[in-house]
């Protein structure tokens, strides 16, 4: 019988020989490659706005929006260093645009969402239409559409505006499906009045002769006022869900499905004193606190959250939300991808 050391030496030598031919022994990594359950590299993490707001604003003195193209601080998951990712499939960043600035027009195959954190009056343009940003609005930038952002000058009432960018950058990168182009001018021509898309699709109605099933929602901006109103009404007149409080998903009116092919978005209301039950799911989720404060327990670790904080719940980690003051949370996840691939699992504990 060869000794354990001899066996190990023989194997190591063998692994070196097969490595020269770009091969590796599956038996050394089988359990990692095919885990009994998800073991995310991504960690639960929180970006507390009170601690980072000054740094976000200081970016305005470091570089102009024009030079930066997009002046964004990437929220990088501490478990995914160097990957510019908040989850394995999703990207998050805080974008700052100052009065009088333009973030020049470009397009890319990555889908984007904007969730307005603070400031109002800046605009984003998609396909010839501009929409004005207000805190709590959820704005859609479909894949491969020209988009530029801008902010009126101080004289015209402009103020610094910060929003959360959610994109499917890591997912698109993992598929090697990224394409991008720069528009020849800083801004695209405005060809339609503000509110045009909303008139077509934002009132639970749709243009009568169009039979479209658009992979991305034609509703350009989902105004906070409306989402909040719906949550308030449902809170007052229906039973609270023990896990979610009152939670709604944003809908693509042409399909009834998610607003984007790769990202789902949600908004939920938690009354003061709410102590949610624990649940987990295979979609990793990024939360942005619109209003209120409380705690979130993610996989046993407790994080206090307050207004404008961003936190991330990795796949299959239990999450439990508690609200001290009445709270409103926006969230986005890769749920459509998991659902499409039959990989979505959810467990309410
Ligand atoms: O606004 O188009 O945070 O292209 C990252 C990439 C924002 C944008 C980001 C982008 C954008």
């Amino acid at each position: 019988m060869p000794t354990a050391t001899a066996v190990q030496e023989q194997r190591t030598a063998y692994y070196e020989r097969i490595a020269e031919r770009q091969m590796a022994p599956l038996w050394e990594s089988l359990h990692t490659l095919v885990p009994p359950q998800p073991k995310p590299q991504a960690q639960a993490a929180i970006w507390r706005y009170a601690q980072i707001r000054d740094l976000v604003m200081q970016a305005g003195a470091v570089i102009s929006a024009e030079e930066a193209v997009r002046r964004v601080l990437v929220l990088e998951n501490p478990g995914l260093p160097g990957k510019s990712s908040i989850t394995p499939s999703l990207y998050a960043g805080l974008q700052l645009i100052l009065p009088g600035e333009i973030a020049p027009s470009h397009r890319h195959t990555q889908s984007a969402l904007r969730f307005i954190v603070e400031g109002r009056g800046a605009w984003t343009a998609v396909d010839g239409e501009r929409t004005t940003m207000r805190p709590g609005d959820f704005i859609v930038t479909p894949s491969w559409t020209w988009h530029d952002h801008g902010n009126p000058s101080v004289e015209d009432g402009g103020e610094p505006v910060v929003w959360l960018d959610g994109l499917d950058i890591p997912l698109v990168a993992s598929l090697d499906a990224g394409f991008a182009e720069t528009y020849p001018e800083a801004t695209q021509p405005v060809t339609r009045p503000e509110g045009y898309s909303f008139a077509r699709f934002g009132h639970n109605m749709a243009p009568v002769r169009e039979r479209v099933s658009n992979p991305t929602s034609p509703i350009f901006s989902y105004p906070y006022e409306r989402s909040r109103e719906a949550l308030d009404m449902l809170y007052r007149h229906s039973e609270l869900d023990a896990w979610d409080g009152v939670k709604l998903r944003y809908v693509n009116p042409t399909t009834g499905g998610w607003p984007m092919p790769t990202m789902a978005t949600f908004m939920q209301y938690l009354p003061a004193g709410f102590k949610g039950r624990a649940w987990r799911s295979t979609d990793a989720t990024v939360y942005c606190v619109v209003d209120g404060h409380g705690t979130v327990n993610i996989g046993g670790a407790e994080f206090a959250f307050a207004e404008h904080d961003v936190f991330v719940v990795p796949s299959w980690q239990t999450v439990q939300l508690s609200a001290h003051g009445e709270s409103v949370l926006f969230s986005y996840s890769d749920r459509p991808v998991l659902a499409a691939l039959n990989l979505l699992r959810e467990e309410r504990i």
Side-chain angles (χ1 to χ4, degrees), residues 39-286:
K39 271 219 188 96
Q41 295 275 302
Q43 294 169 16
I46 188 164
W47 288 262
R48 293 196 171 88
Y49 202 64
Q51 295 174 345
I52 61 173
R53 183 181 185 275
D54 285 351
L55 295 168
V56 172
M57 293 299 169
Q58 284 162 23
V62 170
I63 193 165
S64 71
E66 193 170 8
E67 192 192 343
V69 181
R70 296 295 182 264
R71 190 207 284 119
V72 179
L73 298 188
V74 179
L75 307 184
E76 188 173 78
N77 192 295
L80 305 170
K83 293 209 159 25
S84 297
S85 303
I86 193 158
T87 78
S89 64
L90 296 176
Y91 159 103
L94 288 170
Q95 183 157 174
L96 169 70
I97 190 147
L98 296 175
E101 286 191 320
I102 298 282
S105 200
H106 70 182
R107 65 176 178 177
H108 39 69
T109 50
Q110 292 83 357
S111 296
L113 67 87
R114 329 282 171 189
F115 187 72
I116 317 311
V117 174
E118 70 159 307
R120 59 185 65 230
W123 50 263
T124 189
V126 168
D127 271 348
E129 182 177 340
R130 286 183 179 177
T131 193
T132 304
M133 299 177 168
R134 288 147 307 178
D137 292 350
F138 156 51
I139 293 172
V140 174
T141 310
S143 170
W144 207 241
T145 52
W146 297 112
H147 54 283
D148 33 282
H149 318 299
N151 199 339
S153 63
V154 176
E155 301 80 67
D156 291 329
E159 58 185 33
V161 174
V162 177
W163 68 82
L164 178 69
D165 279 324
L167 289 91
D168 52 11
I169 289 174
L171 175 71
V172 172
S174 73
L175 299 170
D176 282 332
F179 293 86
E181 287 178 356
T182 305
Y183 196 74
E185 334 249 314
T187 55
Q188 62 184 300
V190 175
T191 58
R192 285 178 277 134
E194 173 152 14
Y196 184 81
S197 300
F198 202 79
R200 278 160 55 82
F201 289 101
H203 299 280
N204 296 315
M205 302 177 89
V208 69
R209 304 215 180 277
E210 280 180 43
R211 290 276 185 284
V212 290
S213 177
N214 199 329
T216 303
S217 173
I219 297 181
F220 186 8
S221 174
Y222 295 76
Y224 180 54
E225 202 184 339
R226 286 213 165 187
S227 318
R228 182 64 197 256
E229 200 176 280
L231 293 172
D232 282 346
M233 167 72 105
L234 294 175
Y235 168 58
R236 279 184 272 113
H237 299 286
S238 39
E239 241 175 77
L240 266 188
D241 182 87
W243 290 266
D244 296 332
V246 183
K247 188 171 185 177
L248 293 171
R249 66 177 173 95
Y250 291 87
V251 169
N252 173 349
T254 71
T255 62
W258 312 108
M260 278 165 285
T262 49
M263 290 183 284
T265 50
F266 308 88
M267 191 173 269
Q268 70 196 110
Y269 173 87
L270 312 173
F274 179 77
K275 274 192 175 334
R277 296 178 64 177
W279 62 288
R280 59 182 175 174
S281 68
T282 51
D283 57 332
T285 305
V286 180

